[in-house]
Every structure is written in structure tokens, then in C-alpha cells.
Amino acid sequence: MKKYAFARRGLRTAAASAVIGALLLTAACGKDKNEDNAKPTLPAGPADTIALYRSNCISCHGGGLEGVMGPDTNLRSVGSRLTETRIAAQIASGGQLMPAMKERLTAQEIDKLASWLAGLH
């Protein structure tokens, strides 16, 4: 009798494994292969401005301008909310969450970033 109990237990385990495998495959169907590996991308812009963003802004504003510290850090359409002058002032002087960058960036670098960001709508 014990011999048959092990055989039935083995069949149940194999069946359960097959069902779990089928569920995992079904759950993966319809997903884009790159969906899990997709990284946000920055909008096009001058190479030097993109480099400034990557070295000074990306840690808080994200790789796709999506904002990583809450909705106030989302820059995807900042040009529709703020003027270029206001964006430059925010970069230079900072704000509630944002540190002032005027000691870290030159006025020309701030203007480049502000111009690029103001074009995002």
C-alpha cells in the first residue's frame, strides 16, 4: 500500500507543477518582451544639455523626466506649466524639494536646461 501512496503523491506533485507552469506561461502571454526591461528615455535635445541633465538632475527627476520623488518632480510637460524664465529661476534657486543649483551650475548651463525643459509640453 505504501508503494502506491508514494506513486500517487508523485503524480499529484507532477500535475501541480504542470498547472503552475501553465499558469506562469499564460500570465506572460501578451506582454511585450521588453516591457519589464523598458527604461524611460529622455526627450531629444542638445547632447551637452542632456549630459547636464544626466549628471545633475536624473537622480530626482528620473531617466524619463517622470519624477522619482513624487508628482512635483515630474518634468514631462513642465513647459506647459512654467515659463523658461521660471524654470531657470527654479533651477538656480531651488524650491521646496529641490536644492539650489546656482553654486553647482553656471548661468549658461542653467539657461540650457531651462530652454530645453521649457520646450516640453
Side-chain angles (χ1 to χ4, degrees), residues 8 16 18-19 26-27 33 38 41 44 58 71 73-74 76 84 108-109 111 116:
R8 282 186 291 190
V19 169
T26 302
K33 289 180 193 175
T41 57
I58 203 166
T73 62
N74 184 323
R76 287 187 196 148
E84 184 175 335
Q108 184 181 20
E109 291 171 329
D111 288 343
W116 175 61

Side-chain angles (χ1 to χ4, degrees), residues 2 10 13 15-16 22 25-26 30 33-37 55-56 60 62 65 67 79 85 91-92 94 98 100 104 108:
K2 288 183 182 182
T13 302
L25 286 173
T26 302
K33 289 180 193 175
N34 296 320
E35 187 176 315
D36 292 332
N37 297 327
S55 63
N56 294 283
C60 295
L65 303 169
T85 302
I91 294 169
M98 183 170 169
R104 184 174 182 160
Q108 184 181 20

Side-chain angles (χ1 to χ4, degrees), residues 15-100:
S17 295
V19 169
I20 291 171
L23 288 174
L24 290 173
L25 286 173
T26 302
C29 288
K31 270 189 160 183
D32 182 5
K33 289 180 193 175
N34 296 320
E35 187 176 315
D36 292 332
N37 297 327
K39 293 182 182 177
T41 57
L42 290 173
D48 59 338
T49 304
I50 300 297
L52 280 171
Y53 178 84
R54 285 191 171 129
S55 63
N56 294 283
C57 313
I58 203 166
S59 62
C60 295
H61 295 288
L65 303 169
E66 71 277 10
V68 294
M69 298 181 66
D72 291 341
T73 62
N74 184 323
L75 298 176
R76 287 187 196 148
S77 59
V78 69
S80 63
R81 296 187 317 265
L82 301 174
T83 65
E84 184 175 335
T85 302
R86 181 66 190 111
I87 293 169
Q90 181 80 24
I91 294 169
S93 301
Q96 290 179 334
L97 293 174
M98 183 170 169

